[in-house]
Amino acid sequence: GLKLQVETALFGGASFDEQGVPISDAVVATAKSAQAVLMGAVGGPKWANVARDLRPEMGLLRLRKEMDVYANLRPALCFSALADASGLKRHLVEGLDIVFVRELTGGVYFGTPRGIETLADGSKRGFDNQVYTSAEIRRVARVAFELARKRSNKVTSLEKSNVMESGLLWRQEVTALHASDYSDVQ
């Protein structure tokens, strides 16, 4: 009895091939007005030599940013019948049931400056700036803590606080949020 109204639109490589852009303003508007957006792969080797700002993946990044899709949930399960198919020992993977919560609208994908520059000696250097705000960190950490309360009640936060300032901020914010709002979560 579920009634669905489905609308399709070009996105990623298909959009680039037809319209010269990885996602059009009209498709972004359509997506933002929808109750749900389903999509498949956006790119592939065919578009590897397209200008970076026109690559299919840029459509995905734009859609994430414009729709404020900041938390990516990636479950990892190991079904008992498949435990022996893993490259890891059975006892390590059998019963595995974890969810990775990844931040999607900040960090290295959106930080500036970024680019490739030619150095004085003629060699080149590529750089991407990893930038997070307290608000970006806290909102995705809230997703992880709330999800944990419905599952194992455990969260592990990963960052590079030993060598990266953005990692240090990440650790500080997650630790403070844990202490203030989620001390019941391990």
Side-chain angles (χ1 to χ4, degrees):
L2 179 64
K3 303 281 188 217
L4 295 177
Q5 178 182 340
V6 178
E7 188 174 341
T8 61
L10 294 176
F11 179 58
S15 176
F16 178 79
D17 288 348
E18 292 290 321
Q19 301 173 358
V21 293
I23 192 168
S24 68
D25 293 343
V27 171
V28 170
T30 298
K32 289 173 77 172
S33 69
Q35 291 181 333
V37 175
L38 301 174
M39 60 185 191
V42 298
K46 176 180 178 182
W47 301 280
N49 294 319
V50 171
R52 185 164 297 278
D53 63 327
L54 295 175
R55 282 194 174 163
E57 297 83 2
M58 294 302 116
L60 177 60
L61 294 181
R62 179 178 174 199
L63 193 61
R64 284 178 183 168
K65 194 68 150 178
E66 295 223 18
M67 294 186 72
D68 203 22
V69 179
Y70 62 89
N72 178 262
L73 305 180
R74 294 192 175 206
L77 303 168
C78 181
F79 299 104
S80 187
L82 297 175
D84 289 325
S86 170
L88 300 173
K89 293 180 181 175
R90 180 181 193 91
H91 76 275
L92 295 174
V93 296
E94 190 169 29
L96 178 73
D97 182 5
I98 61 177
V99 177
F100 293 90
V101 180
R102 192 179 73 142
E103 201 286 329
L104 288 179
T105 59
V108 74
Y109 290 154
F110 294 97
T112 57
R114 61 188 310 126
I116 299 173
E117 64 186 2
T118 303
L119 302 175
D121 67 359
S123 64
K124 293 186 178 187
R125 174 174 51 200
F127 54 96
D128 298 283
N129 192 8
Q130 176 148 310
V131 178
Y132 285 109
T133 65
S134 295
E136 289 170 330
I137 296 166
R138 292 174 78 83
R139 72 181 182 172
V140 77
R142 280 188 190 285
V143 170
F145 283 121
E146 292 293 335
L147 186 60
R149 281 181 169 163
K150 298 172 186 172
R151 297 173 46 84
S152 66
N153 211 42
K154 294 179 183 177
V155 168
T156 301
S157 180
L158 302 173
E159 44 28 48
K160 290 290 290 177
S161 64
N162 62 331
V163 294
M164 295 176 69
E165 300 304 318
S166 60
L168 178 58
L169 178 63
W170 192 279
R171 176 171 284 192
Q172 291 169 349
E173 291 295 337
V174 173
T175 300
L177 182 63
H178 177 255
S180 68
D181 296 8
Y182 296 99
S183 60
D184 59 300
V185 178
Q186 182 180 346

